[in-house]
Amino acid sequence: MTEQVSAASNAAVDTISRAGWGAELRATFALAWPLVIAQLAQNALHTTDVIMLGRLGPAYLAAGTLATTFLNAFLLGSIGVVGAVAPLVAQARGARDIKAVRRVVRQGCWAAIIISVVMIPLLLQIKPIYLALGQDPLATDMAEQFIQIAAWSMFPALGIIAFRSFLSAYDATRAILVITVLGVLINALIAYTLIFGHFGFPRLELRGAAIATLTTNFIMLGMMVAYVLRHRRLKRFNVLVRFWKPDWPRLREIFRIGLPIGLTVLAEVGLFTAAALLMGRLGTDEVAAHAVALQLASMAFMVPLGLGVAATVRVGIAFGRGDIDGVGNAGWTAFVLGLGFMAVSCTLFLTAGTFLVSLFLDMNEPTNANAIGLAITFLMVAGIFQLVDGAQVVAAHSLRGLSDTKVPMLVAIVGYWAVGLPISYVLGFVFNWRGVGIWLGLAAGLAAVAVVLVARFAMRERLGLMRSRA
C-alpha cells in the first residue's frame, strides 16, 4: 500500500509539471468555481431545513435527520446512476459526436423516470423499515410525515441531474449556479412559511419542510429545461425532440456506467446512514449532534465534489479526443485544488467548532448543552478526515471521466463496509467510545478508499484504462 501511495505522489508531480498544467489549471478553475458554489447552494437547500427544524427542538431535528438520511440513501445512489450522463456527454464532445450528445441526454431523462418509478414505493416504506431496525417509534412517526411528501421529489431531482450533466459538459456552469441559488431562496421562503406557519399559512412543521423540498425541485427542473431549450448554443442539440423514441444501446450504456457509480455513492451514503442508525441507539442528543457535525462536513465536502464534477468533464473531454497528457493534467489539477481546500476546512473545524455549532443549536438553551458538547467533539473528528474525503471524491470522479466505474465501486464497498463500519461499531460499542468511536470509523473507511483510488488513477496507463481511446 505504501508503494502505491508513493507511485501516486510521483505520478502527480511528474504529470502536473508538464507544459500544459497552467492552462489546465485555468480551465479547471473556470469550469469548477460555479459548480463548487452550486454544490454549496444545493447543500444549503437541506441546511436551511436543518436550521429551521433545529429551532423547533432536538426532537424535530432528530426526526428530520432520520428522514433525510433515509431519503438520501435512495436519492444519492440514483443520482450516481443518472450522473453517467456527464462523462458520456463529455467524451462525445471530445470526439465531436453531436448526435451522441443528444441521445445520451434524452436517455438520461429516461433513466431518471425509470429509477423514480422503482424507488418511490420503497421510500414510502420508511416506518416498517425503521421500526425493524430498532429506531424510536415517535421519531419514526415524525420522519414518516416528511417522507410521505418528499419521496415524490425523486422525479424532478433526477431530471435536474440529467440536464445539469449536459450543461456541465458544455461549460454552462454559471447557469447551474444561478438556478441553484434561486432554488435556495425559493426553498427558504417556502420552508419558513410552512414550517412555522407564517403569512397566514398553517404551521406544518416537518410536512412544511417536505412541501418546500418537493416544490423547489420542480421549479428548478423547469428553469433548467427552459434554459437548455432556449439558449442559442444549446438548443441546436434538440435534446427533447422525439423524446419517447427509445435508444436502447444508449440507455444500456448509461446503466452500465451509472450503476457502479450509483452503488459507489450508495456504499458511502450507506456508511453514513449506518452511522446515523448507530447514533440512534445512543440517544436523541447523539443523533442531533451527529446531524450538526455531518451537515457541516457535508458543506465542506461540496467543494471537492464540485471539483470532482469538473474533473469528470475535463478528463472525459481529453479521453474522448485521445489526449493522454490532457487526462493526467485534468485529474491532478483537480486533485491538488481539492486537497488545498480541505486543508483549510480541516483547520476551521479544529479551531472554530463552537461558533459553527452555534449556527444550528441555541447555545443559551440549557436542554441543548449535551448535544452541543457532542457536536463540537464530532466536528473535531470530522476535521481530521477532511483531507482523505477530498482525495477520494476527486480521484473517483477523475476515473469516471475514463468510464472506469466497476473497480472503484468494489473499492468503495470494501473500504466503507469491511473497514469503516466494523471499526465504527467496535470503537463505538465494544470500546464504549460511543459517538467519537463511530466517527473515527468513518474516517478510517474514507482513508482506505482514498489511498486505493488515488493509486489507481496514478497507474491508469499501466492498468490499461487509457487503451480504448489512446
Side-chain angles (χ1 to χ4, degrees):
M1 191 68 71
T2 303
E3 293 177 357
Q4 288 180 324
V5 176
S6 177
S9 301
N10 292 337
V13 173
D14 291 342
T15 306
I16 210 164
S17 63
R18 292 176 183 175
W21 78 268
E24 183 59 43
L25 178 63
R26 291 189 293 272
T28 298
F29 185 78
L31 177 65
W33 76 260
L35 287 173
V36 168
I37 299 176
Q39 290 291 349
L40 289 167
Q42 184 72 34
N43 195 56
L45 289 170
H46 174 56
T47 304
T48 302
D49 294 342
V50 170
I51 292 174
M52 292 185 186
L53 291 174
R55 297 304 173 185
L56 296 177
Y60 287 91
L61 180 57
T65 299
L66 290 173
T68 54
T69 298
F70 187 77
L71 174 63
N72 286 341
F74 290 86
L75 179 59
L76 295 181
S78 302
I79 285 174
V81 178
V82 181
V85 171
L88 290 174
V89 170
Q91 291 170 18
R93 179 188 175 186
R96 299 184 179 181
D97 189 345
I98 294 178
K99 183 182 294 185
V101 171
R102 178 170 60 250
R103 291 178 176 179
V104 168
V105 175
R106 189 167 63 220
Q107 294 309 300
C109 295
W110 274 49
I113 294 171
I114 293 169
I115 294 169
S116 298
V117 169
V118 174
M119 292 299 177
I120 290 176
L122 297 176
L123 281 167
L124 297 176
Q125 303 305 310
I126 181 174
K127 184 173 182 177
I129 292 174
Y130 265 3
L131 291 178
L133 293 173
Q135 296 301 298
D136 179 71
L138 178 59
T140 298
D141 285 339
M142 295 173 68
E144 185 183 33
Q145 296 174 15
F146 182 92
I147 289 295
Q148 285 176 338
I149 299 170
W152 299 96
S153 65
M154 287 285 290
F155 284 112
L158 296 182
I160 288 171
I161 296 303
F163 283 95
R164 193 173 73 179
S165 298
F166 172 49
L167 292 174
S168 298
Y170 275 87
D171 307 325
T173 52
R174 295 190 183 186
I176 298 173
L177 171 59
V178 171
I179 291 171
T180 307
V181 170
L182 288 174
V184 173
L185 298 176
I186 293 168
N187 181 75
L189 177 61
I190 298 174
Y192 178 75
T193 300
L194 297 181
I195 289 175
F196 301 108
H198 292 299
F199 311 120
F201 286 86
R203 180 186 172 101
L204 299 178
E205 298 174 344
L206 283 162
R207 288 192 177 93
I211 293 172
T213 298
L214 177 63
T215 305
T216 301
N217 273 283
F218 270 112
I219 292 174
M220 289 174 63
L221 175 60
M223 289 190 291
M224 203 162 284
V225 172
Y227 182 84
V228 168
L229 296 181
R230 295 177 62 86
H231 190 272
R232 176 182 55 82
R233 184 184 175 207
L234 300 175
K235 65 181 181 181
R236 64 191 175 95
F237 288 97
N238 298 314
V239 294
L240 295 184
V241 170
R242 290 183 287 184
F243 181 82
W244 298 110
K245 181 180 179 181
D247 188 339
W248 303 119
R250 301 288 179 187
L251 186 61
R252 285 194 297 269
E253 183 74 358
I254 288 173
F255 278 98
R256 184 186 70 82
I257 296 175
L259 278 174
I261 296 175
L263 291 174
T264 299
V265 174
L266 192 59
E268 183 174 2
V269 172
L271 174 65
F272 284 90
T273 301
L277 296 176
L278 291 177
M279 288 290 183
R281 292 180 174 271
L282 296 176
T284 299
D285 285 340
E286 280 81 357
V287 174
H290 176 75
V292 172
L294 185 59
Q295 190 61 43
L296 288 165
S298 297
M299 289 175 66
F301 179 75
M302 292 302 106
V303 176
L305 180 59
L307 287 166
V309 175
T312 296
V313 172
R314 296 296 301 168
V315 169
I317 292 173
F319 184 56
R321 65 172 181 258
D323 183 357
I324 295 177
D325 289 344
V327 167
N329 288 340
W332 291 121
T333 298
F335 182 78
V336 170
L337 290 173
L339 283 186
F341 173 81
M342 293 308 259
V344 174
S345 64
C346 172
T347 303
L348 186 63
F349 285 3
L350 293 176
T351 59
T354 301
F355 169 74
L356 294 172
V357 171
S358 70
L359 299 175
F360 294 83
L361 294 171
D362 187 353
M363 306 294 283
N364 298 318
E365 177 58 50
T367 58
N368 291 345
N370 187 43
I372 289 170
L374 290 169
I376 294 171
T377 303
F378 295 166
L379 196 60
M380 293 180 67
V381 181
I384 296 172
F385 71 61
Q386 290 297 291
L387 292 175
V388 293
D389 203 12
Q392 64 88 18
V393 70
V394 174
H397 278 78
S398 296
L399 291 169
R400 290 173 195 174
L402 303 176
S403 296
D404 179 35
T405 58
K406 291 182 180 179
V407 172
M409 172 193 70
L410 296 175
V411 171
I413 292 173
V414 172
Y416 298 142
W417 289 88
V419 177
L421 186 59
I423 292 177
S424 288
Y425 181 82
V426 170
L427 294 181
F429 294 92
V430 177
F431 285 85
N432 201 30
W433 291 6
R434 297 176 67 83
V436 173
I438 293 173
W439 273 78
L440 287 172
L442 298 178
L446 290 168
V449 173
V451 169
V452 178
L453 293 186
V454 172
R456 183 169 178 81
F457 184 75
M459 298 185 292
R460 59 195 177 278
E461 292 185 56
R462 188 184 311 173
L463 296 174
L465 303 182
M466 300 292 299
R467 191 172 300 145
S468 62
R469 292 282 184 180

